[in-house]
């Protein structure tokens, strides 16, 4: 069975959700590998604890658990890179879906929330990925405010086709969407690291060429694990 861990990253222009699709026998080894990345940081830098969350925004900016490294960008990049290397070293796949938020709001009088739009597209791709491998998938996502609505959305899609250009009944995704706090799951954290970095690159916010190169070098670590990525422009 596949375990699909999902998290989002967004701004006013684009909304992304990344899924780390993990065969069940890879879940514990990858969790252990990500724990090891944090434990190494704990041993190397004063003030970092073994429970520090691998959160993309916090790690990138030296905030929250990573405040002790606020003035040490190379150290933070090294930890980010170590986590991405751990992901790439396991038999996992990455699926990323997005939507152009401005076009969504311009085209529709009453547009759906971008999260709902992208989550539908992501679930369709996870279902397709599982079907191609003749297996089932369970979805675990970071906590969101509209969790019950998204559970109901999946319930409907498991019983009747989704809407849109390529409707699909989700027969390979089992049970419901399980929402969990990212702090409690290294694999949700892994999805967050992927979503944040991909969003950062695609947004074009970096103006420093050194930062652009650093982000590309980080992404190159996991690019070979990407099974699908697409942004919908309504």
């Amino acid at each position: 069975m596949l375990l699909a861990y999902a998290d989002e990253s967004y701004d006013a222009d684009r909304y992304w959700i990344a899924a780390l699709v993990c065969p069940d026998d890879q879940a514990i080894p990858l969790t252990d590998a990500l724990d090891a990345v944090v434990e190494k940081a704990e041993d190397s830098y004063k003030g970092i604890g073994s429970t520090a969350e691998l959160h993309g925004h916090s790690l990138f900016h030296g905030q929250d658990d990573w405040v002790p490294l606020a003035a040490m960008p190379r150290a933070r990049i090294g930890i980010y890179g170590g986590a991405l290397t751990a992901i790439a070293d396991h038999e996992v796949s990455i699926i990323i879906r997005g939507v152009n938020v401005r076009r969504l709001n311009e085209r529709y009088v009453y547009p759906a929330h971008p999260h709902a739009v992208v989550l539908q597209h992501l679930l369709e791709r996870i279902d397709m990925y599982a079907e191609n491998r003749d297996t089932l998938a369970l979805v675990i996502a970071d906590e969101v405010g509209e969790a019950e609505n998204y559970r109901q959305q999946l319930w409907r899609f498991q019983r009747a086709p989704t809407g849109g250009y390529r409707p699909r009944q989700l027969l390979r995704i089992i049970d419901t969407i399980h929402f969990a706090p990212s702090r409690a799951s290294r694999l949700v954290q892994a999805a967050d690291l992927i979503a944040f970095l991909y969003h950062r690159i695609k947004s074009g916010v970096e103006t420093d060429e050194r930062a652009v190169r650093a982000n590309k070098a980080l992404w190159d670590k996991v690019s070979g694990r990407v099974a699908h990525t697409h942004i919908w422009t309504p």
Side-chain angles (χ1 to χ4, degrees), residues 52-227:
E53 182 177 356
L54 291 167
H55 185 267
H57 185 275
S58 299
L59 189 52
F60 194 89
H61 293 287
Q63 299 173 352
D64 303 316
D65 291 332
W66 304 101
V67 165
L69 303 184
M72 304 171 68
R74 288 184 181 275
R76 289 185 277 109
I77 290 172
I79 295 165
Y80 211 129
L84 294 178
T85 296
I87 293 168
D89 285 345
H90 291 76
E91 294 298 321
V92 299
S93 294
I94 295 167
I95 298 174
I96 304 173
R97 294 291 305 205
V99 67
N100 184 312
V101 179
R102 293 191 186 278
R103 288 287 297 129
L104 179 70
N105 292 332
E106 290 168 0
R107 179 168 179 180
Y108 297 99
V109 177
Y110 301 107
H113 192 283
H115 189 99
V117 172
V118 180
L119 182 61
Q120 176 187 323
H121 296 168
L122 185 74
L123 292 173
E124 291 168 348
R125 281 290 167 172
I126 293 171
D127 189 81
M128 187 181 303
Y129 183 93
E131 181 183 55
N132 290 341
R133 285 151 185 78
D134 193 24
T135 188
L136 302 172
L138 183 72
V139 179
I140 304 99
D142 190 17
E143 289 181 319
V144 291
E146 299 296 318
E148 184 55 34
N149 289 343
Y150 298 133
R151 292 189 187 100
Q152 290 298 318
Q153 181 185 42
L154 176 57
W155 191 92
R156 293 193 301 272
F157 294 159
Q158 289 167 327
R159 289 157 178 81
T162 60
Y165 176 61
R166 294 181 176 177
R168 179 182 182 87
Q169 189 173 354
L170 306 184
L171 300 176
R172 295 286 176 159
I173 297 178
I174 63 170
D175 200 32
T176 186
I177 304 179
H178 295 268
F179 290 94
S182 60
R183 177 167 288 278
S185 170
R186 287 291 186 211
L187 300 184
V188 172
Q189 292 171 32
D192 175 82
L193 293 175
I194 293 163
F196 177 82
L197 180 60
Y198 190 80
H199 169 222
R200 186 92 185 172
I201 291 170
K202 291 298 182 180
S203 68
V205 296
E206 302 288 9
T207 56
D208 188 320
E209 185 58 35
R210 292 171 299 178
V212 172
R213 289 196 301 269
N215 287 347
K216 182 181 183 303
L218 287 173
W219 185 252
D220 285 346
K221 294 178 182 295
V222 293
S223 60
R225 291 295 180 186
V226 176

Side-chain angles (χ1 to χ4, degrees), residues 36-47:
V37 170
V38 178
E39 288 163 6
K40 181 179 178 181
E42 179 186 24
D43 292 340
S44 302
Y45 304 107
K46 184 178 179 179

